[in-house]
Short mmCIF file of all heavy atoms in Angstrom, two decimals:
data_model
loop_
_atom_site.label_atom_id
_atom_site.label_comp_id
_atom_site.label_asym_id
_atom_site.label_seq_id
_atom_site.Cartn_x
_atom_site.Cartn_y
_atom_site.Cartn_z
N ASP A 1 -66.66 51.48 14.33
CA ASP A 1 -65.96 50.50 13.53
C ASP A 1 -65.87 51.03 12.09
O ASP A 1 -65.93 50.23 11.11
CB ASP A 1 -66.52 49.08 13.52
CG ASP A 1 -66.41 48.42 14.90
OD1 ASP A 1 -65.36 48.59 15.59
OD2 ASP A 1 -67.40 47.90 15.38
N ARG A 2 -65.78 52.34 11.93
CA ARG A 2 -65.61 52.89 10.57
C ARG A 2 -64.72 54.12 10.63
O ARG A 2 -64.67 54.80 11.72
CB ARG A 2 -66.96 53.20 9.98
CG ARG A 2 -67.77 54.27 10.77
CD ARG A 2 -69.23 54.35 10.27
NE ARG A 2 -69.28 54.75 8.83
CZ ARG A 2 -70.38 54.91 8.14
NH1 ARG A 2 -71.57 54.77 8.69
NH2 ARG A 2 -70.36 55.27 6.87
N LEU A 3 -64.13 54.48 9.59
CA LEU A 3 -63.41 55.68 9.50
C LEU A 3 -64.34 56.90 9.22
O LEU A 3 -65.17 56.82 8.32
CB LEU A 3 -62.34 55.67 8.39
CG LEU A 3 -61.29 54.50 8.57
CD1 LEU A 3 -60.28 54.59 7.41
CD2 LEU A 3 -60.56 54.67 9.93
N ARG A 4 -64.18 57.98 9.96
CA ARG A 4 -64.98 59.16 9.78
C ARG A 4 -64.21 60.36 9.44
O ARG A 4 -63.28 60.70 10.19
CB ARG A 4 -65.89 59.45 11.00
CG ARG A 4 -66.97 58.31 11.24
CD ARG A 4 -67.82 58.69 12.46
NE ARG A 4 -67.16 58.32 13.70
CZ ARG A 4 -67.44 58.95 14.81
NH1 ARG A 4 -68.26 59.95 14.95
NH2 ARG A 4 -66.90 58.53 15.92
N TYR A 5 -64.54 60.95 8.37
CA TYR A 5 -63.77 62.09 7.81
C TYR A 5 -64.58 63.41 8.06
O TYR A 5 -65.78 63.50 7.65
CB TYR A 5 -63.46 61.92 6.37
CG TYR A 5 -62.61 60.70 6.05
CD1 TYR A 5 -63.18 59.48 5.99
CD2 TYR A 5 -61.28 60.83 5.92
CE1 TYR A 5 -62.36 58.32 5.67
CE2 TYR A 5 -60.45 59.69 5.65
CZ TYR A 5 -61.02 58.46 5.58
OH TYR A 5 -60.28 57.35 5.28
N TYR A 6 -63.91 64.41 8.57
CA TYR A 6 -64.63 65.62 8.81
C TYR A 6 -63.70 66.86 8.37
O TYR A 6 -62.48 66.77 8.30
CB TYR A 6 -64.84 65.88 10.35
CG TYR A 6 -65.79 64.82 10.97
CD1 TYR A 6 -65.27 63.73 11.63
CD2 TYR A 6 -67.13 64.97 10.76
CE1 TYR A 6 -66.12 62.80 12.17
CE2 TYR A 6 -68.08 64.04 11.38
CZ TYR A 6 -67.52 62.95 12.09
OH TYR A 6 -68.39 62.02 12.59
N ALA A 7 -64.42 67.97 8.10
CA ALA A 7 -63.72 69.20 7.77
C ALA A 7 -62.87 69.65 8.99
O ALA A 7 -63.31 69.45 10.06
CB ALA A 7 -64.69 70.23 7.32
N PRO A 8 -61.71 70.18 8.76
CA PRO A 8 -60.88 70.70 9.82
C PRO A 8 -61.36 71.93 10.46
O PRO A 8 -62.16 72.67 9.84
CB PRO A 8 -59.48 70.92 9.19
CG PRO A 8 -59.82 71.32 7.78
CD PRO A 8 -61.08 70.48 7.43
N LEU A 9 -60.90 72.23 11.71
CA LEU A 9 -61.16 73.51 12.28
C LEU A 9 -60.46 74.52 11.37
O LEU A 9 -59.45 74.30 10.79
CB LEU A 9 -60.48 73.53 13.70
CG LEU A 9 -61.07 72.51 14.66
CD1 LEU A 9 -60.23 72.55 15.99
CD2 LEU A 9 -62.53 72.85 14.98
N THR A 10 -61.06 75.73 11.31
CA THR A 10 -60.59 76.69 10.34
C THR A 10 -59.20 77.30 10.84
O THR A 10 -58.86 77.26 12.00
CB THR A 10 -61.55 77.93 10.25
OG1 THR A 10 -61.66 78.57 11.48
CG2 THR A 10 -62.98 77.36 9.85
N GLU A 11 -58.50 77.68 9.86
CA GLU A 11 -57.16 78.33 10.07
C GLU A 11 -57.28 79.50 11.00
O GLU A 11 -56.49 79.72 11.86
CB GLU A 11 -56.45 78.65 8.82
CG GLU A 11 -56.05 77.54 7.96
CD GLU A 11 -55.24 77.92 6.69
OE1 GLU A 11 -55.01 79.14 6.58
OE2 GLU A 11 -54.97 76.99 5.87
N ALA A 12 -58.33 80.30 10.74
CA ALA A 12 -58.51 81.53 11.60
C ALA A 12 -58.74 81.13 13.06
O ALA A 12 -58.29 81.80 13.96
CB ALA A 12 -59.72 82.32 11.04
N PHE A 13 -59.58 80.06 13.27
CA PHE A 13 -59.81 79.66 14.65
C PHE A 13 -58.51 79.17 15.33
O PHE A 13 -58.22 79.58 16.42
CB PHE A 13 -60.96 78.65 14.66
CG PHE A 13 -61.21 78.09 16.06
CD1 PHE A 13 -62.01 78.90 16.90
CD2 PHE A 13 -60.76 76.90 16.50
CE1 PHE A 13 -62.34 78.46 18.23
CE2 PHE A 13 -61.10 76.38 17.69
CZ PHE A 13 -61.88 77.21 18.61
N LEU A 14 -57.84 78.29 14.62
CA LEU A 14 -56.59 77.73 15.21
C LEU A 14 -55.50 78.78 15.41
O LEU A 14 -54.62 78.63 16.22
CB LEU A 14 -56.05 76.56 14.35
CG LEU A 14 -56.94 75.33 14.25
CD1 LEU A 14 -56.36 74.28 13.33
CD2 LEU A 14 -57.11 74.77 15.73
N ALA A 15 -55.56 79.83 14.64
CA ALA A 15 -54.58 80.97 14.82
C ALA A 15 -54.86 81.87 15.99
O ALA A 15 -53.97 82.66 16.36
CB ALA A 15 -54.51 81.76 13.49
N ARG A 16 -56.00 81.73 16.61
CA ARG A 16 -56.38 82.58 17.69
C ARG A 16 -55.40 82.36 18.91
O ARG A 16 -55.12 81.21 19.26
CB ARG A 16 -57.81 82.40 18.13
CG ARG A 16 -58.84 82.87 17.12
CD ARG A 16 -60.28 82.76 17.74
NE ARG A 16 -60.26 83.48 18.99
CZ ARG A 16 -60.52 84.79 19.13
NH1 ARG A 16 -60.67 85.51 18.08
NH2 ARG A 16 -60.59 85.35 20.34
N ALA A 17 -55.03 83.41 19.61
CA ALA A 17 -54.10 83.27 20.76
C ALA A 17 -54.71 82.46 21.84
O ALA A 17 -54.13 81.73 22.53
CB ALA A 17 -53.64 84.63 21.20
N ASP A 18 -56.07 82.73 22.07
CA ASP A 18 -56.75 82.02 23.12
C ASP A 18 -57.00 80.59 22.85
O ASP A 18 -57.07 79.71 23.81
CB ASP A 18 -57.98 82.74 23.57
CG ASP A 18 -59.08 82.96 22.42
OD1 ASP A 18 -58.76 82.58 21.31
OD2 ASP A 18 -60.15 83.42 22.70
N VAL A 19 -57.05 80.18 21.62
CA VAL A 19 -57.19 78.81 21.22
C VAL A 19 -55.87 78.11 21.52
O VAL A 19 -55.77 77.01 22.13
CB VAL A 19 -57.59 78.65 19.81
CG1 VAL A 19 -57.53 77.15 19.31
CG2 VAL A 19 -59.00 79.22 19.54
N LYS A 20 -54.72 78.78 21.08
CA LYS A 20 -53.46 78.12 21.28
C LYS A 20 -53.14 78.01 22.84
O LYS A 20 -52.66 77.05 23.32
CB LYS A 20 -52.35 79.03 20.62
CG LYS A 20 -52.37 79.01 19.15
CD LYS A 20 -51.32 79.89 18.59
CE LYS A 20 -51.35 79.89 17.09
NZ LYS A 20 -50.28 80.68 16.51
N ALA A 21 -53.51 79.03 23.58
CA ALA A 21 -53.31 79.04 25.01
C ALA A 21 -54.10 77.95 25.68
O ALA A 21 -53.64 77.23 26.59
CB ALA A 21 -53.64 80.36 25.71
N PHE A 22 -55.36 77.72 25.22
CA PHE A 22 -56.20 76.67 25.80
C PHE A 22 -55.61 75.33 25.53
O PHE A 22 -55.50 74.48 26.44
CB PHE A 22 -57.58 76.74 25.14
CG PHE A 22 -58.49 75.72 25.55
CD1 PHE A 22 -59.31 75.74 26.81
CD2 PHE A 22 -58.73 74.53 24.76
CE1 PHE A 22 -60.10 74.69 27.15
CE2 PHE A 22 -59.56 73.55 25.08
CZ PHE A 22 -60.31 73.59 26.34
N VAL A 23 -55.18 75.03 24.29
CA VAL A 23 -54.66 73.70 23.90
C VAL A 23 -53.32 73.48 24.73
O VAL A 23 -53.11 72.47 25.22
CB VAL A 23 -54.39 73.65 22.40
CG1 VAL A 23 -53.68 72.37 22.04
CG2 VAL A 23 -55.67 73.69 21.68
N LYS A 24 -52.51 74.48 24.82
CA LYS A 24 -51.18 74.39 25.56
C LYS A 24 -51.44 74.08 27.02
O LYS A 24 -50.82 73.23 27.61
CB LYS A 24 -50.32 75.57 25.37
CG LYS A 24 -49.71 75.75 24.00
CD LYS A 24 -49.09 77.10 23.72
CE LYS A 24 -47.93 77.31 24.67
NZ LYS A 24 -47.30 78.61 24.36
N ALA A 25 -52.48 74.81 27.58
CA ALA A 25 -52.71 74.63 29.02
C ALA A 25 -53.37 73.24 29.25
O ALA A 25 -53.07 72.53 30.26
CB ALA A 25 -53.70 75.75 29.53
N TRP A 26 -54.19 72.80 28.32
CA TRP A 26 -54.82 71.49 28.40
C TRP A 26 -53.72 70.50 28.31
O TRP A 26 -53.79 69.45 29.18
CB TRP A 26 -55.90 71.32 27.35
CG TRP A 26 -56.65 70.05 27.47
CD1 TRP A 26 -57.76 69.86 28.20
CD2 TRP A 26 -56.32 68.74 26.85
NE1 TRP A 26 -58.17 68.53 28.05
CE2 TRP A 26 -57.34 67.85 27.28
CE3 TRP A 26 -55.35 68.34 25.92
CZ2 TRP A 26 -57.33 66.51 26.87
CZ3 TRP A 26 -55.37 67.04 25.49
CH2 TRP A 26 -56.39 66.12 25.96
N ALA A 27 -52.85 70.50 27.33
CA ALA A 27 -51.79 69.51 27.28
C ALA A 27 -50.86 69.55 28.42
O ALA A 27 -50.44 68.45 28.93
CB ALA A 27 -50.94 69.78 26.02
N GLY A 28 -50.66 70.64 29.02
CA GLY A 28 -49.83 70.73 30.25
C GLY A 28 -50.61 70.08 31.45
O GLY A 28 -49.93 69.44 32.27
#
């Protein structure tokens, strides 16, 4: 019952091809 603020995943991590592939496959 509270808002929790966290630092984001790093740009370098999100730019990785295997991260993008994982997220796309998971969404699929």
Side-chain angles (χ1 to χ4, degrees):
D1 296 316
R2 63 189 299 179
L3 299 181
R4 289 184 279 153
Y5 298 84
Y6 296 99
L9 300 172
T10 66
E11 291 183 7
F13 180 75
L14 291 179
R16 292 187 54 85
D18 56 355
V19 172
K20 293 179 180 180
F22 175 83
V23 173
K24 289 169 62 176
W26 185 86

